[in-house]
Each structure stands twice: as structure tokens, then as C-alpha cells.
Amino acid sequence: QVQLHLSGPGLVKPSQTLSLTCAISGDSVTSNTVAWNWIRQSPSRGLEWLGMTYYRSKWYNDYAPSVKSRISINPDTSKNQVSLQLNSVSPEDTAVYYCVRRRASYGLDVWGQGTTVTVSS
Amino acid sequence: DIVMTQSPPSLPVTPGEPASISCRSSQSLLHSNGYNYLDWYLQKPGQSPQLLIYWASSRASGVPDRFSGSASGTDFTLKISSVEAEDVGVYYCMQDLQTPRTFGQGTRLEIK
């Protein structure tokens, strides 16, 4: 059974960097049939896809244009996890953040538990 | 970006009755492989979203067969043949064809 466990600070100050880690169990971050996504949810913006990373003989990233200048999603093969970094945050980045697996084109089939991140001084 | 528009925003349903949720995309979601890249998700209260349907009409593993999806051009429909109490929550459609992936605003199903 695949499980995704998120960790990271729940409070980040404006202009600083939001950093979250998604630990993967039951699957491999280097699997060539999956992609590892980050999605967030807030009352004002609803569900918002931020980006993904996936391995197909080499690593690829795909980011939402709305955050492309501020986001970095990186795999850590030694720890079998994926990280999210979002720079220069503002209160608009306050949301519940999810790490989500996409298996081939068969939908987002495994979701982490979600972690609330608040941007406030 | 592809805009996903769902209706209705709220759907009160009597248990045992059918329910239908609509989703319209601003562009075609038809992939070259012949499938529409449209998913349906259910977010139960206090939980993360869960996958119900992918490719517009393929049920995900473990999803009861009372859930079905269909497509007609850029119009998509999720149907529940006989609503049960455990089906309450917010239903979302999502296009999985282009970056950025985009979601509908959600339809809240409640039991009458």
C-alpha cells in the first residue's frame, strides 16, 4: 500500500521560503510509471496544482506558470522522498498542501494527508 | 489555462435517489490516444480528495459501480445511480491533459 507522509513547518514568515517534504513508502520515487505532484487547497483559490517531478531515464519537472518563478520540486533518491520549495511567500500562499502520486495517466490515485501552512509574521 | 466549470455548486439528494454533476472544459480534453483526460475526485469531510474516475469514464480501483462518468465533447457528467450517506462531500473535476492541471470549483453533495 502506497503512503505519502508530509512534513515541514506549519508557519512561515512572509518573504521567506516554504519547504515541505513528502516521504514515500510502498513505491519508489524513481518509478518510471508515476509522477509526484504538489497540490494546494485554500478557500479563496480552491484546489490548485503547483507542479510535479517524474523520472523517465532522467528527471523532469513541470510547474504551474503561476508559481514557476518561485517553485522547485526535487526528488531525493537516497531517502525516497520528494521536496517542495516555494520562495518569497506571501499570505496568499497560506493553504493546505498535498503530495500526490499520479500513476501513468490513470489519475491522481494516492494523496498524502495534507499539511496546513500559514504565512504570517 | 483550461478553465473547468462545474454545476451545480450544491446538490441536496435524498438517499436512494440518483445524482448528477456536470463539468465543462474551455478546451477539448481529447488526447491523441482517444481518451478524454478528465478525472473526478471526491473530498469527504476532513479528508484528502480521492480518485473516483479517470479518462472521463473509467472507475478507479475500489470505487463502487454506482459511480459512472461520461463525456460529450467538452461536457462531462458524473452520475451516482443511488446516493448513499457515505457519498457526502465535495466533488471536483480536473483536467489532466495540459499544464497547468486545473480543477473545477467543486460541487457539494449533501443528504436531504
Side-chain angles (χ1 to χ4, degrees), chain B residues 31-73:
Chain B
H31 191 276
S32 56
N33 62 11
Y35 291 102
N36 281 290
Y37 275 35
L38 185 283
D39 304 333
W40 288 98
Y41 298 88
L42 165 60
Q43 186 170 29
K44 295 182 178 181
Q47 296 185 16
S48 303
Q50 60 186 83
L51 176 66
L52 295 175
I53 302 283
Y54 62 93
W55 288 349
S57 60
S58 296
R59 270 190 304 276
S61 176
V63 175
D65 61 7
R66 64 179 180 273
F67 291 92
S68 64
S70 62
S72 177

Side-chain angles (χ1 to χ4, degrees), chain A:
Chain A
Q1 181 184 1
V2 180
Q3 291 187 322
L4 306 175
H5 181 70
L6 278 72
S7 60
L11 181 63
V12 182
K13 288 182 167 48
S15 79
Q16 294 192 342
T17 297
L18 180 160
S19 296
L20 296 174
T21 299
C22 174
I24 302 162
S25 60
D27 200 350
S28 171
V29 70
T30 57
S31 170
N32 60 10
T33 59
V34 302
W36 305 100
N37 295 257
W38 286 94
I39 291 169
R40 66 184 179 184
Q41 184 174 30
S42 64
S44 59
R45 301 164 81 102
L47 285 164
E48 182 182 11
W49 180 85
L50 299 176
M52 63 180 174
T53 191
Y54 55 97
Y55 185 76
R56 304 288 187 270
S57 301
K58 69 175 185 177
W59 287 101
Y60 294 87
N61 287 304
D62 197 7
Y63 299 134
S66 61
V67 295
K68 192 169 186 177
S69 64
R70 302 192 289 131
I71 193 172
S72 179
I73 297 175
N74 292 296
D76 184 335
T77 57
S78 65
K79 296 181 180 178
N80 203 39
Q81 61 188 29
V82 181
S83 66
L84 167 71
Q85 286 196 315
L86 191 63
N87 302 323
S88 304
V89 297
S90 72
E92 289 187 349
D93 295 309
T94 294
V96 176
Y97 285 76
Y98 295 99
C99 173
V100 189
R101 186 184 82 164
R102 175 175 177 255
R103 187 173 64 91
S105 58
Y106 307 141
L108 301 168
D109 66 333
V110 180
W111 292 66
Q113 81 277 19
T115 189
T116 300
V117 178
T118 300
V119 179
S120 174
S121 54

Side-chain angles (χ1 to χ4, degrees), chain B:
Chain B
D1 297 4
I2 298 177
V3 177
M4 308 300 294
T5 304
Q6 277 185 245
S7 62
S10 179
L11 184 60
V13 184
T14 300
E17 293 297 304
S20 180
I21 299 170
S22 296
C23 175
R24 175 172 290 177
S25 60
S26 62
Q27 301 175 33
S28 172
L29 302 184
L30 189 62
H31 191 276
S32 56
N33 62 11
Y35 291 102
N36 281 290
Y37 275 35
L38 185 283
D39 304 333
W40 288 98
Y41 298 88
L42 165 60
Q43 186 170 29
K44 295 182 178 181
Q47 296 185 16
S48 303
Q50 60 186 83
L51 176 66
L52 295 175
I53 302 283
Y54 62 93
W55 288 349
S57 60
S58 296
R59 270 190 304 276
S61 176
V63 175
D65 61 7
R66 64 179 180 273
F67 291 92
S68 64
S70 62
S72 177
T74 58
D75 292 325
F76 302 90
T77 303
L78 176 70
K79 291 185 178 177
I80 310 173
S81 60
S82 176
V83 170
E84 298 186 5
E86 66 181 24
D87 300 335
V88 298
V90 182
Y91 291 78
Y92 297 94
C93 60
M94 187 200 86
Q95 64 84 13
D96 197 23
L97 184 67
Q98 288 184 12
T99 288
R101 273 52 176 181
T102 46
F103 292 84
Q105 66 272 45
T107 294
R108 184 175 299 278
L109 186 146
E110 59 184 46
I111 298 296
K112 282 184 181 177

